[in-house]
Amino acid sequence: GLDVALTAAGVVLLGGAAIGLWLRAPEFGTVDLDPVNRFREPALMLDLRGRSGPIMVMVDYRIDQADVPEFLRLMQERRAIRRRDGARNWALLRDLEHPGHWSESYHIATWDEYVRHNLRRTKTDAEVTVALRALHRGEGDPVVHRMIERHSVGPQDDVPLMGKLEIP
């Protein structure tokens, strides 16, 4: 009856409150969620529209073997950040012929989403980026490749090349 249902609901609520006291939620006081505001749109050589996509992003790193465990730990955090900010199909790749070469890849649905993805970066997220750059042994920063996926090339494509593409 109704009395039993309300009593059971009250017991479940009290049980949930007791569990909440015992298993506390993590504190977010040390996490800085202010936006970084460092993203600048790259100079594109294609005439993209906001809905153009999907966009594939690859970031190339060179990592010493001794730094691989720390790199993998940081990339686990990076994966969570990327996915939270809208990335799909995130993957970490290692070159079989050059084991110090690593590539992070992921997809974003459209160019507008890619821009928003980068604007969501927080100051705490930037700490992971700084740590990854410190492990990178290549010249300069890790190289970022931004690519638009195309399954065919022809006049029906909505993103024309700057110049003429001739197909034999």
Side-chain angles (χ1 to χ4, degrees):
L2 185 60
D3 290 340
V4 173
L6 289 174
T7 302
V11 169
V12 169
L13 284 172
L14 288 174
I19 290 172
L21 290 173
W22 180 53
L23 297 172
R24 294 209 173 261
E27 293 293 326
F28 293 106
T30 60
V31 176
D32 190 349
L33 299 177
D34 289 333
V36 175
N37 292 327
R38 284 190 222 152
F39 178 71
R40 303 291 176 260
E41 277 192 58
L44 302 176
M45 298 305 291
L46 293 177
D47 180 27
L48 290 185
R49 297 179 186 120
R51 293 177 47 144
S52 295
I55 305 297
M56 180 182 183
V57 180
M58 291 186 74
V59 184
D60 296 332
Y61 298 90
R62 291 189 181 213
I63 304 297
D64 286 340
Q65 183 60 34
D67 294 330
V68 168
E70 178 65 6
F71 176 74
L72 293 176
R73 186 190 70 75
L74 289 167
M75 289 309 281
Q76 187 175 13
E77 290 182 45
R78 172 62 67 93
R79 178 183 185 271
I81 291 166
R82 297 277 198 220
R83 294 190 47 117
R84 179 201 69 209
D85 290 345
R88 319 177 269 135
N89 302 331
W90 186 93
L92 182 61
L93 310 161
R94 189 174 196 182
D95 191 313
L96 295 174
E97 296 172 11
H98 307 282
H101 294 191
W102 294 78
S103 293
E104 170 192 18
S105 73
Y106 59 96
H107 292 79
I108 300 286
T110 65
W111 182 253
D112 280 347
E113 275 299 311
Y114 175 73
V115 171
R116 283 192 289 270
H117 166 82
N118 283 286
L119 293 174
R120 291 181 186 117
R121 224 35 61 69
T122 67
K123 290 183 178 176
T124 298
D125 298 342
E127 293 172 7
V128 173
T129 301
V130 169
L132 284 168
R133 283 183 179 157
L135 294 177
H136 176 64
R137 298 298 176 233
E139 290 186 23
D141 289 335
V143 177
V144 179
H145 306 275
R146 296 167 195 89
M147 297 170 264
I148 188 163
E149 289 186 13
R150 285 290 173 245
H151 299 287
S152 65
V153 178
Q156 72 278 7
D157 286 342
D158 64 340
V159 180
L161 294 172
M162 299 287 204
K164 203 173 195 182
L165 174 67
E166 294 185 26
I167 301 174

